């Protein structure tokens, strides 16, 4: 059976309708009153009909639950695959930058041998920029961006709340994901408060391994009433491909 929200609502309506018919038949006002004394008012034939209909509905409900569980597992697998691909891409980008540094260093050595002052200056600048890029990538690998965490109003957006409120929020997220052992160094909102959108939160960890630990469990937020609209993603360079959500 293929699961859909519509089929779930249809089955729910049928079950409520059948229970209402049964309550009406034995003249009670609630399901809690459907006791032996009340059911004894029915003849065997009508009672068997009610039981047969309810059994069919319950059996159909079990099939829907199994289909729903299968759909949830499939979505979890897709989310985990997407996150793994994103982490692999980040590692590939970092390796590419490191290769650039190594190549620039080799070029620098060659230029020094030629004693060309102007070329040495240009190459030194390239090495400096490449080294800066490596450092930035390494720092980003220790960061996590949180999207969709709402603020109640602008009055809570002063500097005194900006750090402490977001820290408390992410602590609650870590508890939801069972990641209490990760080492969060700092977290804060990015940008200014606006009525039409919620700025993301940047969370800084001690190590990149902490980021991977949280992202591997990010799919659990979908099952949370408080954080089902919250998405986690690695801190990517804005000039590279757009971040994707962990759903």
């Amino acid at each position: 059976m293929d699961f859909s929200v519509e089929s779930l609502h249809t089955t729910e309506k049928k079950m409520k309708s059948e229970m209402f018919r049964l309550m009406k038949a034995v003249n009670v006002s609630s399901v809690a009153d459907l006791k032996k004394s009340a059911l004894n008012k029915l003849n065997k034939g009508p009672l068997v009909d009610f039981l047969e209909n309810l059994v069919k509905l319950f059996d159909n409900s079990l099939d829907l639950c199994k289909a729903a569980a299968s759909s949830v597992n499939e979505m979890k697998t897709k989310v985990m695959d997407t996150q793994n691909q994103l982490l692999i891409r980040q590692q590939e980008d970092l390796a590419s930058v490191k290769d650039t540094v190594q190549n620039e260093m080799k070029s620098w050595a060659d230029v020094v041998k030629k004693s060309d002052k102007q070329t040495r200056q240009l190459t030194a600048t390239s090495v400096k920029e490449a080294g800066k890029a490596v450092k930035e990538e390494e720092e980003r690998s220790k960061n996590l961006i949180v999207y969709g965490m709402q603020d109640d109003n602008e009055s809570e957006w002063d500097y005194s709340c900006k750090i402490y409120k977001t820290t408390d929020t992410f602590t609650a997220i870590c508890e939801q994901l069972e990641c209490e052992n990760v080492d969060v160094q700092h977290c804060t909102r990015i940008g200014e408060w606006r009525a039409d959108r919620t700025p993301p939160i940047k969370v800084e960890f001690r190590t990149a391994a902490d980021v991977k630990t949280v992202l591997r469990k990010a799919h659990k937020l979908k099952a949370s009433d408080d954080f089902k609209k919250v998405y986690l993603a690695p801190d990517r360079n804005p000039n590279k491909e757009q971040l994707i959500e962990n759903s």
Side-chain angles (χ1 to χ4, degrees), residues 68-79:
S70 177
S71 296
V72 170
N73 288 333
E74 183 178 350
M75 286 188 289
K76 286 181 179 179
T77 299
K78 289 181 179 179
V79 169

Side-chain angles (χ1 to χ4, degrees), residues 3-200:
F3 173 76
S4 69
V5 176
E6 182 180 356
S7 60
L8 183 63
H9 288 168
T10 299
T11 300
E12 180 185 12
K13 289 179 180 179
K14 288 181 179 180
M15 292 184 69
K16 288 182 177 180
S17 176
E18 195 65 23
M19 293 299 293
F20 181 77
R21 285 202 322 114
L22 180 57
M23 289 188 295
K24 185 176 181 180
V26 296
N27 196 26
V28 297
S29 58
S30 69
V31 176
D33 294 328
L34 287 174
K35 300 179 180 179
K36 184 177 180 180
S37 57
L39 294 174
N40 281 334
K41 297 177 182 179
L42 286 177
N43 293 327
K44 182 178 180 180
L47 183 59
V48 168
D49 289 340
F50 278 117
L51 289 175
E52 182 179 4
N53 290 337
L54 289 173
V55 167
K56 289 179 180 179
L57 289 171
F58 278 119
D59 185 57
N60 187 60
S61 297
L62 289 175
D63 289 340
L64 279 175
C65 289
K66 291 178 182 178
S70 177
S71 296
V72 170
N73 288 333
E74 183 178 350
M75 286 188 289
K76 286 181 179 179
T77 299
K78 289 181 179 179
V79 169
M80 293 181 67
D81 288 343
T82 300
Q83 290 177 345
N84 288 334
Q85 291 174 7
L86 195 55
L87 288 172
I88 291 172
R89 178 61 184 275
Q90 188 177 39
Q91 292 170 353
E92 290 174 347
D93 289 344
L94 185 58
S96 176
V97 173
K98 288 182 178 179
D99 288 341
T100 301
V101 173
Q102 292 175 354
N103 292 334
E104 291 291 348
M105 291 298 292
K106 183 178 179 181
S107 299
W108 170 247
D110 293 339
V111 172
V112 169
K113 291 178 182 180
K114 295 179 181 179
S115 301
D116 189 313
K117 183 177 180 180
Q118 182 178 5
T119 306
R120 281 204 306 269
Q121 291 175 343
L122 291 174
T123 308
T125 300
S126 298
V127 171
K128 184 177 180 180
E129 291 177 351
K132 182 179 178 181
V134 170
K135 184 177 180 180
E136 288 180 354
E137 286 293 334
E138 289 179 344
E139 289 301 317
R140 285 182 184 277
S141 70
K142 300 176 186 178
N143 297 341
L144 184 67
I145 306 299
V146 182
Y147 295 92
M149 180 55 63
Q150 299 291 331
D151 283 294
D152 294 336
N153 51 58
E154 186 175 5
S155 65
E156 296 187 0
W157 194 244
D158 56 42
Y159 185 78
S160 62
C161 293
K162 189 174 183 181
I163 294 178
Y164 300 112
K165 183 177 178 64
T166 52
T167 301
D168 292 343
T169 296
F170 193 73
T171 298
I173 291 176
C174 286
E175 292 175 355
Q176 180 70 33
L177 299 180
E178 299 177 348
C179 293
E180 294 90 343
N181 293 328
V182 296
D183 191 351
V184 176
Q185 300 290 298
H186 184 74
C187 62
T188 186
R189 288 281 186 184
I190 304 173
E192 300 298 328
W193 187 92
R194 282 172 49 180
D196 59 338
R197 71 175 183 85
T198 301

